[in-house]
Amino acid sequence: MDSLKRKSRTPPNNGFGSPSPREDDLTDSELLEFFISQTEQARSQTFVCTSEAAAIAGVSQRTVQGWIDSGVIRAVAVGKKYRVLRESLHGYLLDCAEKPNR
């Protein structure tokens, strides 16, 4: 997952007036530490469950899980479930939208 490069984007606001760190630049263990360190309110603004990510993207939950497995979007494993980094999902969807249709 860490080897994928993404376009530089403005860091999102964490809901408390200060920008979040560049979550896409964190290692998997650093991303998990970031997830754990956030309050529930901030966490819900920064991460979404796979079903919510699927609803946002207009795809199935299994497709989102495939994106996580292939490394195109970032997520942290919490127990047996994933929490998708909202910034990563947004960036991936923007990248897909910018590609011309075949």
Side-chain angles (χ1 to χ4, degrees):
M1 275 193 215
D2 294 327
S3 62
L4 294 175
K5 295 289 180 192
R6 295 205 175 45
K7 294 178 184 174
S8 178
R9 300 194 191 284
T10 304
N13 187 301
N14 65 8
F16 299 101
S18 61
S20 302
R22 287 282 312 153
E23 294 93 351
D24 265 357
D25 295 334
L26 301 176
T27 65
D28 288 345
S29 59
E30 290 170 337
L31 187 60
L32 179 59
E33 287 295 323
F34 177 70
F35 176 85
I36 292 169
S37 71
Q38 289 192 309
T39 64
E40 283 188 47
Q41 181 181 5
R43 194 180 295 158
S44 69
Q45 293 175 344
T46 308
F47 294 88
V48 295
C49 62
T50 54
S51 61
E52 189 175 344
I56 291 168
V59 298
S60 71
Q61 190 172 354
R62 182 64 200 123
T63 296
V64 171
Q65 291 166 343
W67 291 344
I68 294 167
D69 292 342
S70 66
V72 297
I73 62 173
R74 300 287 309 274
V76 294
V78 181
K80 293 184 178 183
K81 299 185 182 227
Y82 285 108
R83 296 293 180 258
V84 177
L85 182 61
R86 201 181 282 265
E87 173 186 338
S88 179
L89 177 65
H90 184 255
Y92 177 67
L93 294 175
L94 283 176
D95 288 347
C96 289
E98 291 172 358
K99 291 181 183 174
N101 292 333
R102 292 181 184 197

